[in-house]
Amino acid sequence: MLDIKLLREQPEWVKQQLARTGSDTALVDAVLAFDEQRRALLTEVEALKAERNAVSKAIGKMKDAAERDVKIAEMRVVGDRISELDRQVADVETDQRLAMLEIRNLPHASTPDGAGEEDNIVIYQEGEPRDMGFEPKPHWELGEALGIIDFERGVKISGSRFYILKGMGARLQRALIQWLLDLHIEQGYSEVYTPFVVKEEAMWGAGQLPKFRDNLYRDEDAGLWLVPTAEVPVTNLYADEILDASQLPIFHCAYTPCFRREQMSAGRDVRGIKRGHQFDKVEMYMFTFPDRSYDDLQKLRADAEDTCRRLGLAFRTKELCTGDLGAAATRTYDLELWAPGQQEWLEVSSCSNVEAFQARRANLRYRPEPGAKPEFLHTLNGSGLGVPRTMIAIMENYQQADRSIIVPDVLRPYMGGIAVITAA
RNA sequence: GGAGAGAUGGCAGAGUGGUCGAAUGCGGUCGUCUUGAAAACGACAGUCCCGCGAGGGACCGUGGGUUCGAAUCCCACUCUCUCCUCCA
């Protein structure tokens, strides 16, 4: 959510910034109209309430019964008018808030302009797609040949885009998750384990609603939603709290499964484990001071890059352009790992500063100085990393001509020392 | 799932229709005293909204209702605690 004061004071500039992302600017005017209406109503109703409060207080002390009855009758009328106005205020407030919740975040000045994905800029690359000396197989072939991924039975149990990991496949994934968490702890993040289902307000707080309603799973009866990313529960960890400045910054890492309906077009990424309805992810998340959030974004990016590096995989970093930026973000880096079997760069991490966008929605504040007014803090999130795609990169990059897969050094301690995955 | 109790400021805990944004204690901040600290004493101190300001309004779990007036009365909901039952 944006700052309403910014909309009031610089509506044209806000629209200009929204236009950079290709987003509709009409909501700005709608919000301002509601805002004006709301404030007019408030002025009126609050004056009436002040009057009622004063008169009611006086009534309590009145001796003269006749005068008293007159005042009570008067206040009855005022009370009815107040109820009426209160209702109107509530309605306008709801309208205004809903409109505010739909407006996306503004891109940072440094975010390059662009129309879409094709205008993202590769700003860094480490390692090259190398010649493996044989024809690398895609991971789905490797997975089936080694008996570590079972697509058919996944579909049998749960439908399309679900799969089963078996034996060394399951173990590799578990090792990866644990290694990722341990690494992030080393990098200065403290681990949290959260619920995987959340209340609807948590989805609003993190900015998943209203935009991604169609991509979320929910339990209608219980009124709970399955998390599409750990970002959702972690964002809401300190919702409605006022943190002490001495507690900040807070860096968390969290493992969760992620559930996404992804009812997108058939035919895209249908093979393999690249895009499932359920996948695992380890997330890094920061609650920090507004004046240092862009420095923290660089740490986030560096930590994600370091994760790729330690796995011994070629990666590259892209700066997203305004046209591809997520709705909550002001500035984002995407990290991609090279997958030689599929011959493509796989997005495994997205590191974003969302400034106070989520903080306003979830009411995340801190007190800059003892006694000072609370302020919204800044939050950042970055995957570290998306597990299935990292699995793909590991399988395809570490495969050998006989289809066996070498276990990356860093994961071996988590695999009981196993160095190579071979057919069972 | 069954029975009971409860939800008030950072915490503890009063308050059962007006003088309550709310006693008291602890904690917190500032000051006096002190070489310093402690103690003692004094003062200050919640959040949100409207307003240039003066000031005004709202908030005692949430949402409704009664009333001129609700922390206080009524209804619904949510949550917490205790006991029982069940369960990984």
Side-chain angles (χ1 to χ4, degrees):
Chain A
M1 199 156 62
L2 298 178
D3 185 352
I4 182 65
K5 285 191 215 117
L6 183 62
L7 299 213
R8 278 181 205 147
E9 285 160 20
Q10 306 194 57
E12 291 314 312
W13 182 80
V14 169
K15 286 188 211 171
Q16 221 173 62
Q17 295 308 307
L18 284 174
R20 288 176 65 201
T21 69
S23 126
D24 185 24
T25 60
L27 277 170
V28 175
D29 292 320
V31 165
L32 290 174
F34 287 134
D35 190 48
E36 215 167 301
Q37 203 184 340
R38 181 181 63 89
R39 289 195 285 168
L41 285 166
L42 274 180
T43 305
E44 189 180 350
V45 73
E46 285 180 3
L48 289 175
K49 284 180 178 175
E51 183 193 353
R52 181 178 67 179
N53 287 345
V55 175
S56 289
K57 199 174 271 188
I59 287 174
K61 291 173 180 161
M62 279 181 188
K63 296 275 162 36
D64 183 339
E67 187 190 355
R68 197 183 142 97
D69 288 347
V70 169
K71 285 298 175 193
I72 287 178
E74 268 178 44
M75 285 308 104
R76 199 184 323 245
V77 175
V78 171
D80 288 345
R81 179 65 182 152
I82 288 174
S83 305
E84 165 68 23
L85 288 171
D86 268 345
R87 251 188 297 279
Q88 289 182 29
V89 169
D91 287 348
V92 176
E93 262 172 6
T94 303
D95 289 341
Q96 182 179 339
R97 181 165 175 85
L98 284 176
M100 285 292 282
L101 287 169
E102 278 197 51
I103 298 179
R104 58 150 302 137
N105 206 352
L106 307 180
H108 188 255
S110 66
T111 295
D113 288 321
E117 212 178 318
E118 64 283 358
D119 294 322
N120 295 338
I121 302 164
V122 176
I123 56 166
Y124 182 73
Q125 179 168 336
E126 196 169 304
E128 292 288 333
R130 58 191 168 86
D131 180 15
M132 309 190 58
F134 60 93
E135 187 68 23
K137 304 279 191 230
H139 70 282
W140 56 84
E141 282 182 29
L142 296 167
E144 283 184 328
L146 293 167
I148 60 175
I149 309 179
D150 186 339
F151 294 101
E152 280 181 28
R153 292 198 175 93
V155 173
K156 177 175 73 178
I157 297 169
S158 302
S160 68
R161 295 189 187 278
F162 288 95
Y163 53 86
I164 311 288
L165 295 180
K166 300 192 296 190
M168 284 299 118
R171 190 166 189 183
L172 179 65
Q173 167 160 300
R174 185 159 49 85
L176 181 59
I177 292 164
Q178 197 156 335
W179 172 74
L180 287 169
L181 285 168
D182 285 350
L183 174 60
H184 296 326
I185 290 167
E186 215 175 284
Q187 290 167 331
Y189 301 79
S190 76
E191 183 178 357
V192 289
Y193 171 87
T194 70
F196 303 156
V197 291
V198 298
K199 295 179 189 175
E200 178 164 327
E201 25 185 313
M203 287 294 185
W204 286 95
Q208 294 293 325
L209 289 174
K211 200 166 185 230
F212 295 117
R213 179 164 246 114
D214 292 343
N215 278 323
L216 299 169
Y217 285 99
R218 81 187 120 179
D219 175 346
E220 201 99 43
D221 296 329
L224 295 172
W225 301 63
L226 301 202
V227 302
T229 161
E231 186 190 330
V232 173
V234 177
T235 298
N236 288 279
L237 253 186
Y238 308 109
D240 297 319
E241 294 184 31
I242 300 171
L243 300 174
D244 197 278
S246 64
Q247 295 173 264
L248 296 178
I250 296 172
F251 298 166
H252 280 314
C253 59
Y255 155 79
T256 68
C258 304
F259 303 96
R260 298 184 185 178
R261 283 167 64 188
E262 303 272 13
Q263 49 188 14
M264 65 247 146
S265 54
R268 186 168 158 78
D269 302 326
V270 285
R271 302 208 69 177
I273 63 172
K274 178 176 171 188
R275 193 182 294 272
H277 288 309
Q278 171 189 323
F279 64 97
D280 286 19
K281 184 156 62 70
V282 173
E283 187 79 2
M284 299 179 281
Y285 199 94
M286 297 173 157
F287 301 85
T288 192
F289 298 102
D291 64 1
R292 56 170 281 180
S293 64
Y294 283 94
D295 294 329
D296 286 322
L297 177 60
Q298 294 310 320
K299 168 173 169 59
L300 196 58
R301 170 195 163 189
D303 290 339
E305 287 177 344
D306 190 42
T307 306
C308 297
R309 182 178 303 122
R310 288 178 190 235
L311 283 168
L313 298 168
F315 67 90
R316 66 181 193 184
T317 304
K318 281 178 169 173
E319 165 116 47
L320 295 198
C321 72
T322 53
D324 199 30
L325 204 60
T330 62
R331 188 175 193 187
T332 297
Y333 297 107
D334 272 6
L335 269 64
E336 299 178 333
L337 293 174
W338 175 249
Q342 291 176 222
Q343 288 288 306
E344 67 168 328
W345 291 95
L346 291 172
E347 183 192 326
V348 292
S349 178
S350 196
C351 300
S352 303
N353 188 355
V354 307
E355 295 190 7
F357 189 80
Q358 290 174 326
R360 283 198 197 88
R361 289 174 164 249
N363 197 22
L364 306 167
R365 294 176 296 165
Y366 74 103
R367 202 181 297 281
E369 301 283 336
K373 276 207 139 338
E375 280 176 26
F376 291 114
L377 40 77
H378 280 194
T379 62
L380 301 90
N381 63 84
S383 347
L385 305 165
V387 168
R389 293 180 186 181
T390 306
M391 291 270 286
I392 293 173
I394 290 170
M395 290 172 68
E396 295 188 3
N397 281 290
Y398 282 95
Q399 65 178 296
Q400 304 186 89
D402 66 358
R403 292 183 177 173
S404 65
I405 295 168
I406 295 172
V407 176
D409 286 342
V410 291
L411 298 184
R412 288 181 196 177
Y414 296 89
M415 294 277 290
I418 292 166
V420 185
I421 296 173
T422 53

